[in-house]
Amino acid sequence: MRKRPFIALAASVTAAGGATFAYASLIERNLFTLRRFTVPVLEPDAEPFRILHLSDLHMMPGQHRKQAWVAALAGTDPDVVVVTGDNMASPDAVPGVLRALRPLLDLPGAFVFGSNDYRGPVWKNPLQYLLPEREYVQGAELPFEDLRSAFTGAGWADLNNARTVLKAGGRSVELVGVDDPHVDRDDYPSVAGVVSPDADLHLGVTHTPASRVLDAMAADGFALLLAGHTHGGQVCVPGYGALTTNCDLPHAMAKGLHRWPGSEAWLHVSAGLGTHPTAPIRFACRPEATILTLIPR
């Protein structure tokens, strides 16, 4: 008789765990959400400026729902589109990425790549993400040059260890970016320097929000820094938040808009729109894109 309460408890825990996994894998990872933040970085009397920030699509060829949702974001009428990497999760994903982004390619845009634009994913134990030191393993090479050609052919700025000025929304926008720090492809010193006083707006772009990169961009005067990579933690604890950021970013900054410590810069980290294909779950961390409306300080 004494065993019955324990059996009932075990059954309840098992059922709750199964229901949670089903929700995380079948429902929440497809609950695409548009976030909105207001960022006070413009000069007095400047008109608002709208950035659509996309990250971490981790696109698979058959993800037509995601592709249609992203394509519909053209209706938000942004002044500029910024994509912070990890677009692909399959060697066959380029057509799917372009179906998603094609309506946005007509707008001014800029991009950096993440590690999963260069090499495909491999199966790994998700608990490894909680380890501060772990071996980094990637799979087969992905067709990143095809994706680069499509983006640059549409007029988007390639910010992988590059710096440029583009016209968008009637403004002059100075951008600096690095290739992915997560796999040591970043070379900020090659593009470093104080921001140009002739530009109306200054943006820093990176896939991984590594502190060494963010510190340097903020020190050069870039007012808004954009990053992805963290997936917002991907699996979060309600009331607590992310358990990991997969980099040296503090857990409390795993997603959303924050002041970058020790500077006047703002940092926006996108929780992204996809998942690692071997861990297709999200919990308490919906997939997202973001409209950042820049206003006067």
Side-chain angles (χ1 to χ4, degrees):
M1 295 293 291
R2 293 176 182 174
K3 293 182 179 180
R4 290 181 180 177
F6 296 103
I7 294 173
L9 177 61
S12 298
V13 170
T14 301
T20 299
F21 181 81
Y23 167 79
S25 61
L26 300 176
I27 298 177
E28 184 166 323
R29 75 181 179 95
N30 293 309
L31 292 178
F32 305 118
T33 301
L34 182 63
R35 307 287 186 199
R36 297 178 184 270
F37 293 101
T38 300
V39 194
V41 295
L42 300 181
E43 294 300 318
D45 301 322
E47 292 294 319
F49 184 90
R50 289 157 56 84
I51 300 172
L52 174 61
H53 182 191
L54 301 172
S55 196
D56 296 86
L57 273 70
H58 290 282
M59 191 69 72
M60 296 289 284
Q63 292 179 328
H64 300 296
R65 182 187 305 179
K66 185 194 299 184
Q67 294 161 21
W69 190 87
V70 173
L73 292 174
T76 62
D77 195 27
D79 292 303
V80 69
V81 181
V82 178
V83 176
T84 50
D86 274 10
N87 297 280
M88 297 183 284
S90 162
D92 302 317
V94 170
V97 173
L98 296 181
R99 276 193 296 271
L101 297 178
R102 186 164 288 115
L104 298 167
L105 291 172
D106 294 331
L107 301 169
F111 69 95
V112 293
F113 283 155
S115 61
N116 286 134
D117 289 307
Y118 295 109
R119 309 286 295 190
V122 295
W123 187 92
K124 61 188 71 173
N125 184 341
L127 295 177
Q128 289 182 350
Y129 286 102
L130 301 177
L131 301 176
E133 298 292 337
R134 61 184 178 86
E135 182 182 4
Y136 187 73
V137 180
Q138 286 187 288
E141 183 173 296
L142 297 178
F144 63 92
E145 290 296 357
D146 293 345
L147 193 62
R148 191 197 310 271
S149 295
F151 286 173
T152 58
W156 280 13
D158 182 350
L159 295 178
N160 289 292
N161 297 322
R163 187 166 182 159
T164 192
V165 176
L166 59 80
K167 294 291 185 180
R171 252 64 68 89
S172 174
V173 184
E174 183 180 27
L175 302 104
V176 69
V178 294
D179 208 340
D180 191 8
H182 189 56
V183 285
D184 296 321
R185 296 180 69 107
D186 56 305
D187 184 12
Y188 188 74
S190 70
V191 293
V194 176
V195 297
S196 170
D198 297 327
D200 300 306
L201 175 63
H202 309 91
L203 304 178
V205 184
T206 177
H207 175 66
T208 300
S211 61
R212 66 177 184 270
V213 171
L214 301 178
D215 284 340
M217 289 178 172
D220 278 342
F222 287 90
L224 176 59
L225 314 177
L226 304 177
H229 177 71
T230 67
H231 296 191
Q234 189 166 320
V235 175
C236 296
V237 177
Y240 176 80
L243 298 175
T244 180
T245 60
N246 198 24
C247 62
D248 67 352
L249 188 73
H251 293 183
M253 302 173 75
K255 62 180 178 180
L257 183 68
H258 307 272
R259 277 285 197 182
W260 183 242
S263 77
E264 295 298 315
W266 291 89
L267 168 67
H268 179 257
V269 181
S270 173
L273 283 160
T275 66
H276 193 289
T278 65
I281 59 173
R282 277 184 180 258
F283 187 74
C285 187
R286 289 186 178 187
E288 66 179 39
T290 308
I291 289 287
L292 297 163
T293 301
L294 279 49
I295 61 172
R297 297 183 184 91

